Amino acid sequence: MKELIFSHFCPFESVADALLPAIFAEFRDNGVENLVFTDHFCKRLLKEHSFFSVLKRNCYNIGVKLQEMHAPFGESFDLACGSPARRPGMIRDHITCMRYAAELGCRTYTLHIGAFDSVYLDLPTEQVRPRALSALEQIVPEAEKLGIVIAVENAFERCNTPDEVMYYVDAVNSPAVGCCFDSGHANVMAPGKSQEQYGSHMHRVWQGDVVFYDRAFEKMAPAMVTCHLHDNDGFSDQHALPGNGTADWQELTAKLLTQAPRLLSIQSEVNTIPHGVSIRQLCSKFRELFPGLA
């Protein structure tokens, strides 16, 4: 197994370009070397090709690295994209982003299966799978060539459960495909809660009958190559600082370090700016959880 590294997420869409060097430097001054190349950066690169040189220059001058990439996501980028007109472009965009990732030395490329048609058109999961699998199979050869591992992420919709994630990993059966365990998404769907406590959106997602999933970590652990760590109240995807929600961090950190044989990286995914969390707080909390790593 390659050396395990820790990378920090930042909601860069909330940061003006002029402030990027200062944010990078703030992470560096708090002992952080590795940052996540976010979906926001990917979408900008697809439109503004010169933005890549800006990012590279800032990283080089300040002394940080963009080590893990999160693919662009949303209806027009997800694997399950239902538009025949958009799908060829979606696949080309993922290949382009993976090439940027390889140039920077990123090791994982996290992407979403997608749930737009499942949620808003009530499309059965069985109809989502073939087109999502087809898209994944078309980008895997490029990942294999580039030496990047595609990480399929779990979420909280019917077509994004841990079982569905593992369906794609098993179906492709390539060392260039693994999964990204999202702790916040798993916490939203953890059992032991009343369905009535969820908001209206979750009832729509599940067509009025929320199905909890248990042992999400254990199901995904054999193929887990990276993870997104954040907390919530168990009912909505808040991306809060660990300890500001209901997740069991003592148990999770222990399992991550001992039960995921393919794990390459750990990523924070706290939405710091909306929650008023400082970079110093973020780094301090994850150092408590992962001494010597974060």
Side-chain angles (χ1 to χ4, degrees), residues 93-225:
D93 285 344
H94 283 304
I95 289 173
T96 297
C97 288
M98 287 193 298
R99 289 172 178 170
Y100 279 125
E103 188 172 335
L104 288 170
C106 295
R107 302 190 297 179
T108 63
Y109 184 74
T110 298
L111 48 66
H112 291 187
I113 299 166
F116 182 87
D117 286 356
S118 172
V119 173
Y120 295 104
L121 303 181
D122 294 331
L123 196 70
T125 299
E126 291 75 17
Q127 293 184 39
V128 172
R129 288 180 191 142
R131 65 191 190 201
L133 180 58
S134 173
L136 183 59
E137 289 175 334
Q138 289 180 70
I139 65 174
V140 165
E142 187 70 19
E144 292 174 338
K145 184 169 67 176
L146 295 170
I148 287 176
V149 183
I150 295 170
V152 184
E153 181 179 342
N154 62 300
F156 39 81
E157 300 93 358
R158 289 173 292 146
C159 54
N160 290 308
T161 66
D163 287 338
E164 286 302 306
V165 168
M166 293 306 296
Y167 163 81
Y168 294 99
V169 173
D170 293 340
V172 176
N173 190 28
S174 166
V177 178
C179 63
C180 171
F181 173 73
D182 189 294
S183 67
H185 298 166
N187 195 50
V188 168
M189 300 312 303
K193 295 169 285 192
S194 167
Q195 295 209 19
E196 287 70 31
Q197 293 177 276
Y198 287 101
S200 59
H201 177 71
M202 284 295 291
H203 286 285
R204 175 168 186 161
V205 164
W206 286 89
Q207 298 179 320
D209 184 20
V210 179
V211 176
F212 302 108
Y213 54 75
D214 198 7
R215 298 180 60 79
F217 182 95
E218 286 74 14
K219 289 179 178 180
M220 296 175 66
M224 197 181 300
V225 294

